[in-house]
Amino acid sequence: MTDASTPEPIRRMIRRLAPVIYGPTVLFALGEGAVIPLLPIFAAHLGADVPTAALVASALVVGQLCGNIPAGWAVARIGERITMAIGGAVALLGVAGLALAPNLLVLTISVFVIGLSAAAFGLARHSFMTTRVPLVFRARALSLLGGTFRLGMFVGPFVAALLIGIFGDEHATVWFFAVCLIAAVLLVLLGPDPELQVAVPRTSPAPRSDAHLAEDSGEPVTGAIPTPERAGVFRTMWRYRGVLARLGVAAASLSAVRSARQVVLPLWGVSIGLDAQTIALVVGVSGAIDFALFYASGQVMDRFGRLWAALPAMILMGVGFLALSFTHDLPQAAMWYALFAAVLGVGNGLSSGILLTLGADVAPQDDPAPFLGSWRTLTDAGGAIAPLLFSGLSAAFSLSVATGAIGVVGLLGAAAFVKWVPRFVPRAAGATRAERRGL
């Protein structure tokens, strides 16, 4: 029988190791967050026009998308610690390329390489949380992991502004990123290894798979103890095609709505005639609301179930986009813009950690990395496609139609979560009474 106090030693161990567990991702995200806003500027310095500069910046997302499956393979074969160390070293090569790029091709390849490394950092810690963190507080731990990326993207631009003000050169942010990477690699290699310090909890739920468990006959065990055979990435994708094609697509719709928010809000502000300072203020307030709520999502998921966070987040963002699409020509368009930007910030904040948690819930617990590589590839694909969809609809129809379409995607995603979360994540319907006493 599972007792609420069973995971408490693991909980204390994870808290003690929090700097080693979360520190590398905080450092990576902080450096990345300082550089990302300046990628179009670096491209412009090398002669890129606006569409080309946007293409260079998008290489980061493409690199992360392409890096998830190799990262899953690497974590499964050589472990999370070595994968993160290699990822940090490869990212340093990309940073050197940013600083010294003689042309747009080298700059684009450097940005792509940084995206590959970001996939390695993200998946390694995701895999660790999946195998080591008990179900009782898994969502909170993964919401904190999602919050580390939000922290970097929220604080990074302010660090960039400070560095540019001090040194008068945009490349100061690149060297700051390099320092962050070196510190992250040193922390990974010289700090205690969380994989060895934190044992796999016995209370982890059995994976929902087609694997057959050997029956206990009561006879003494002789000979070598069999170990689970590691499945390859593509075999894992085929084996779990059902959950990936259903719950994975629902998760991809959430990623798409999140990604579209970063494109819609600035363009909408420009379209209704606001100045750059006002747009930056509105987007900044929306981001602050988003960041402030990242831990609340984990609390809700651990106490009441995954659907109680996923559904409100998707409905808020879906309705927010849909309602915003009708306000473009209203007399108080600026007021509605600020209001729905805040609504989208609340929805996005409540969705923090959902994709990480659902991926951990449905992954095979004994060897999650190959599955998580496939899961993250699918969700990242949703985030990469959304801006392209929005751009195409805006060009073919109007900004309002494209924004409304994103809202429809959000509402359809909410319906998909209602259908598939109870089927594939049955324990996410709510914690047991004993587990709630231990929260």
Side-chain angles (χ1 to χ4, degrees), residues 352-399:
S352 177
I354 289 177
L355 300 182
L356 298 174
T357 303
L358 289 176
D361 287 337
V362 298
Q365 303 298 297
D366 53 348
D367 185 24
F371 175 87
L372 293 178
S374 304
W375 176 268
R376 292 172 71 97
T377 298
L378 189 59
T379 56
D380 285 350
I385 290 171
L388 299 177
L389 174 65
F390 179 79
S391 177
L393 290 174
S394 297
F397 300 100
S398 68
L399 185 65

